[in-house]
Amino acid sequence: MIIIAHRGLTEGPSKELENDPTHILENISKYPNLINEVDVHLCSEGIFLGHDVKTHKINIDFLLDNKKYLILHLKYI
């Protein structure tokens, strides 16, 4: 069985925690078998996580280092 945390959330909706890289890293540490679905924006300004808007700017290394624990939902390219 594969368990997916939508927007990296393990409990109910939370605009503060969804797609938050710090929260996702906590999930990876606590729940190594959990897959985190994250919303990704690729644009000229960089790579961002966020559902409707670019909320959290990340480095490509965040995605590469944690690829085993992530499903990427590309919002904008």
Side-chain angles (χ1 to χ4, degrees), residues 61-73:
D61 292 333
F62 176 83
L63 299 177
L64 296 174
D65 293 346
N66 299 295
K67 64 186 176 186
K68 177 180 174 182
Y69 309 101
L70 302 175
I71 292 177
L72 308 183
H73 177 189

Side-chain angles (χ1 to χ4, degrees), residues 30-56:
K30 287 182 191 177
Y31 312 108
N33 295 317
L34 180 71
I35 301 298
N36 294 272
E37 178 269 341
V38 294
D39 299 306
V40 179
H41 300 254
L42 302 175
C43 58
S44 60
E45 297 92 21
I47 304 169
F48 293 82
L49 300 183
H51 184 255
D52 294 321
V53 295
K54 301 177 281 189
T55 307
H56 306 280

